[in-house]
Amino acid sequence: MNRSIEIFEEAQKVIPGGVNSPVRAFKSVGMSPIFVQRAKGSKVFDVDGNVYVDYIGSWGPLILGHASDIVSEGIMAFINNGTSYGLPTEIEVDIAKLISEAYPSMEMVRMVNSGTEATMSALRVARGYTNRNKILKFEGCYHGHSDSLLVKSGSGTLTYGIPTSAGVPQKVVEDTLVSEFNNIEKLEEVFNNNKGEIAAVIVEPVPGNMGVIAPKVEFLEALRRITKEEGTLLIFDEVITGFRMAYGGAQEVYNIEPDMTCLGKIIGGGLPVGAYGGKKEIMEMIAPLGNVYQAGTLSGNPIAVKMGYNTLTYLKENKEIYQQLEDKAIVLEKAFQENIKAVGINATVNRVKSMLTVFFSDGIVDSYEKASQSDTTLYGKYFKGMLEEGILLPPAQFEGMFLSTAHSDDDLEKTILANKKVLENIIR
Ligand SMILES: *Cc1c(COP(=O)(O)O)cnc(C)c1O
């Protein structure tokens, strides 16, 4: 019997859905998950002895591939010295300096344990700083699972939010406004209807959680202009894009300076880390300096921060990898597009830098609405077919594929051949 299936049966008895994060259950691709035994470089090995070329990359963090020696360098010495003290350590200062230098908009930085904590805390600070309660987010953007951010819009984007999850009181999301990503007109409307009331706008500058969507540069610029005019803080959620799009993230690429930034994923080198930061004046609101409370028993954990520090140091000293990663993603993008055309299937490839999504959808996908029109059943078939060919894609349509420095030309070649074969099979 298949070992993954066996373990999944046991898992479901003691863990809700058998997994510790919902997408891992492979539910949206209609199968049961593979359980991992180990991984190295671009490859994941499952408990049944199958090997896959992996494009999940732990959902973004592993820009240097799995089990990278660069990331774990010197880590045993750290572990042997003790794993947590509840007291400050120098490595926390070192990583804060690195982050602040790479993101000049982050004059001060707080380390936390996840992206969720980073966004949740940034919003609290923004509300404390502006003395306003309302926040604005965009449909299809994901900012972790804290209550006030688990909101999608109703039919009208100007209405108050409706919780996406049970257990989130209506009262908690009453102050969460939702608008359409890439839509400047709607953005202006929201501000006109909520004059002087919006504390912060939080946005994924390049959405990666409705599949990869390219922002319109004018939209990001409008966001910066309007928030400045209205005394609203602009928060870039760069949990995915930070140190991924470029060393300086999306804010460097689009040359836009947000008031606050949230980071996660890559900055932990595969361990649980998040960070948020911004202008000094704003960050000085946080306890013990100010009266906005935020804390964490394991925040800035030395082992996790060391892995992140190693990753960032390598990226800083080897910035040429960003062009190389993009070149690899372009190879896939072009080949996928050719295959789609040759096979004659309705699909679109979205790519921004080293992230890409194949949408099973007609025409350009540049909004949440268009993304949500894709054929997720077809994506499920595609995912399964690719898995059988030894290619591990994200097990959901609305996610991105991530390239790492470990992906070889052979990996790409194999992926392209599999893509053609599987596309042919699924339209039959
Ligand atoms: C992953 C992600 C988060 C949440 O981070 P966790 O570490 O999973 O809590 C927040 N924002 C964005 C843009 C993300 O991609």
Side-chain angles (χ1 to χ4, degrees):
M1 194 187 173
N2 181 311
R3 194 70 191 111
S4 279
I5 291 175
E6 259 172 38
I7 300 175
F8 191 48
E9 276 171 13
E10 289 304 305
Q12 284 168 291
K13 294 177 194 162
V14 284
I15 303 173
V19 291
N20 284 312
S21 197
V23 272
R24 290 181 206 167
F26 286 32
K27 212 170 166 180
S28 70
V29 289
M31 58 181 292
S32 75
I34 56 164
F35 277 72
V36 175
Q37 185 169 62
R38 66 186 178 93
K40 184 74 187 170
S42 62
K43 309 289 191 313
V44 161
F45 301 79
D46 74 10
V47 290
D48 290 294
N50 300 306
V51 187
Y52 308 98
V53 177
D54 175 35
Y55 291 100
I56 300 174
S58 186
W59 302 89
L62 304 181
I63 194 164
L64 302 179
H66 290 276
S68 160
D69 297 337
I70 297 161
V71 178
S72 60
E73 202 195 325
I75 207 68
M76 278 322 290
F78 259 70
I79 291 175
N80 290 333
N81 281 341
T83 54
S84 179
Y85 315 105
L87 294 167
T89 56
E90 191 169 5
I91 190 79
E92 296 165 68
V93 185
D94 294 338
I95 200 168
K97 278 188 188 161
L98 261 185
I99 290 173
S100 179
E101 190 188 285
Y103 294 76
S105 69
M106 299 173 81
E107 291 172 353
M108 288 185 141
V109 185
R110 257 286 164 90
M111 304 304 293
V112 290
N113 304 292
S114 65
T116 295
E117 267 188 74
T119 55
M120 177 187 84
S121 310
L123 284 178
R124 184 180 306 143
V125 173
R127 283 169 161 156
Y129 179 79
T130 56
N131 255 315
R132 299 176 181 178
N133 285 336
K134 290 184 183 174
I135 54 163
L136 172 63
K137 75 175 287 285
F138 299 95
E139 240 181 335
C141 282
Y142 178 68
H143 305 291
H145 65 89
S146 69
D147 282 356
S148 67
L149 287 167
L150 275 184
V151 180
K152 63 181 176 188
S153 93
S155 51
T157 49
L158 306 179
T159 54
Y160 286 110
I162 301 160
T164 301
S165 165
V168 176
Q170 182 62 41
K171 278 197 175 139
V172 172
V173 297
E174 262 171 22
D175 286 325
T176 306
L177 306 167
V178 183
S179 192
E180 262 176 45
F181 189 82
N182 269 344
N183 187 330
I184 299 175
E185 232 168 83
K186 291 246 163 84
L187 178 69
E188 285 170 342
E189 242 175 276
V190 175
F191 271 95
N192 283 337
N193 292 339
N194 296 275
K195 274 263 168 243
E197 292 187 292
I198 304 176
V201 175
I202 186 165
V203 64
E204 289 183 77
V206 177
N209 288 293
M210 45 176 142
V212 176
I213 304 260
K216 291 178 182 145
V217 179
E218 315 84 75
F219 174 73
L220 294 179
E221 286 169 354
L223 260 181
R224 180 62 286 187
R225 178 175 49 77
I226 296 169
T227 47
K228 208 165 241 168
E229 285 165 8
E230 300 287 337
T232 296
L233 299 188
L234 177 59
I235 305 175
F236 269 12
D237 180 351
E238 297 225 43
V239 171
I240 286 184
T241 54
F243 295 98
R244 154 84 42 198
M245 288 201 52
Y247 188 69
Q251 51 197 273
E252 177 186 294
V253 172
Y254 298 108
N255 194 24
I256 290 173
E257 193 179 290
D259 300 296
M260 298 187 81
T261 301
C262 301
L263 297 170
K265 301 199 165 113
I266 287 178
I267 65 162
L271 263 68
V273 176
Y276 69 102
K279 297 203 178 98
K280 196 160 175 260
E281 183 183 74
I282 300 169
M283 293 299 284
E284 282 178 345
M285 294 295 295
I286 304 167
L289 290 179
N291 55 9
V292 175
Y293 194 72
Q294 184 270 313
T297 302
L298 291 170
S299 288
N301 174 267
I303 312 304
V305 164
K306 171 69 173 159
M307 300 269 279
Y309 178 81
N310 286 349
T311 306
L312 302 193
T313 303
Y314 181 84
L315 295 173
K316 181 184 168 184
E317 288 165 2
N318 297 275
K319 287 189 187 142
E320 70 281 0
I321 68 121
Y322 287 103
Q323 189 56 55
Q324 292 161 4
L325 288 174
E326 179 166 17
D327 289 344
K328 289 180 199 181
I330 291 172
V331 168
L332 290 184
E333 178 192 23
K334 290 208 167 127
F336 289 174
Q337 278 166 345
E338 275 167 29
N339 291 345
I340 286 164
K341 210 167 163 199
V343 172
I345 193 166
N346 279 339
T348 305
V349 186
N350 274 15
R351 181 192 63 80
V352 177
K353 298 285 178 181
S354 63
M355 312 178 278
L356 54 157
T357 298
V358 177
F359 285 103
F360 287 92
S361 156
D362 260 340
I364 297 165
V365 180
D366 60 357
S367 66
Y368 174 71
E369 199 193 341
K370 299 245 182 71
S372 53
Q373 284 161 5
S374 5
D375 186 336
T376 52
T377 310
L378 211 51
Y379 184 85
K381 286 184 186 163
Y382 174 64
F383 172 87
K384 248 185 240 174
M386 291 296 274
L387 197 69
E388 278 162 21
E389 296 297 316
I391 312 293
L392 181 56
L393 301 174
Q397 169 72 89
F398 306 113
E399 304 289 350
M401 291 169 69
F402 296 103
L403 273 297
S404 77
T405 56
H407 286 98
S408 66
D409 291 346
D410 273 0
D411 291 334
L412 302 184
E413 190 60 28
K414 195 174 170 213
T415 307
I416 291 164
L417 289 174
N419 172 268
K420 177 118 194 242
K421 182 173 165 189
V422 174
L423 290 180
E424 276 165 354
N425 286 342
I426 61 174
I427 64 163
R428 280 220 197 98

